[in-house]
Amino acid sequence: MEETVFTPCLEGFKHVKSEQGDMLTKPFLDVCRLVLPILDKFGASMTVVKSDVGGNISRLESKYSSNPSRFNYLYSLVQAEVETKTAKSSSSCTNGLLWLTRAMDFLVELFHNLSAHQDQSMSHACNDAYSKTLKKWHGWLASSSFSVAIKLAPDRKKFMEVIGTQGDIHGDMEKFCTGFSPILEQIHKFLAGCGLDSMKAS
C-alpha cells in the first residue's frame, strides 16, 4: 500500500489509548502534531489554524514534560487544573485541549467534506466545516479573521494534486475522519462532564 500524507496519523491513532482504553497524553499530541504538515499544504489559508494548533500542542506538551508520569493520561492535565480551580483560565491546559480538539473537529469535518463530496469547491468545504464546528464558539473577531483566511484557500483540484500524488488519498482521508472522530468525541464528553466544554473565544 502506498503511503499518503494521512498515513502517519492513521498509524498514530493505534497508540492514542492505553490497553484499558484511557487517552494517553503524548500519543494524542503526537497525532495532532502530524496534522500540521497537512495544514501546510493549504498555504496561507490555514496559517491561523496552524499556529493555534501548534501553540496548544506546545502548551500541553510543556505541562506533560514537567511531570510525564503524573500527566501520562490526557485527562490528568485537566483534573489537576480542576483541583486548583485554574481550568477556566485562558492560558490553562484545559483551554488548550478544548481548542485543540475543536480545531481537529473542524479539520475532520473539512476532510470529510473533501472525501465525501468530490464536486464541492474548497471554499464551500471549508465554510461548511467551519459553520458545523468552530463558528458557534468564535466571537466576531475570530469569525471575521477566519472568513478572510478561507478566501486564501487553494483551488480544490490543486490542493488534491499537492496532497494526493500517490496512494488512495480519498480512502485515507476518510479513514482519518472515522479514526479521529471517536477520539475527539470522547474528549468532548469528558470536558462536558467537567462543565468545561462551552468556553468561547472573543
Side-chain angles (χ1 to χ4, degrees), residues 20 25 44 47 66 92 109 131 144 148 172 175 190:
Q20 291 69 42
T25 308
T47 313
S66 71
S92 68
E109 196 61 49
S131 63
S144 21
V148 172
D172 277 6
K175 277 187 207 147
F190 169 76

Side-chain angles (χ1 to χ4, degrees), residues 77-102:
L77 293 164
V78 175
Q79 280 149 347
E81 291 180 339
V82 168
E83 282 159 26
T84 55
K85 303 209 176 352
T86 53
K88 289 191 173 172
S89 134
S90 61
S91 59
S92 68
C93 285
T94 304
N95 202 27
L97 176 62
L98 175 62
W99 284 102
L100 179 58
T101 307
R102 286 174 178 169

Side-chain angles (χ1 to χ4, degrees), residues 69-123:
S69 56
R70 182 181 179 196
F71 298 123
N72 185 31
Y73 296 111
L74 190 58
Y75 301 155
S76 59
L77 293 164
V78 175
Q79 280 149 347
E81 291 180 339
V82 168
E83 282 159 26
T84 55
K85 303 209 176 352
T86 53
K88 289 191 173 172
S89 134
S90 61
S91 59
S92 68
C93 285
T94 304
N95 202 27
L97 176 62
L98 175 62
W99 284 102
L100 179 58
T101 307
R102 286 174 178 169
M104 293 298 151
D105 289 336
F106 162 68
L107 294 169
V108 163
E109 196 61 49
L110 171 58
F111 289 128
H112 169 70
N113 283 347
L114 290 174
S115 73
H117 311 288
Q118 294 181 21
D119 51 347
Q120 216 174 56
S121 74
M122 179 63 89
S123 61

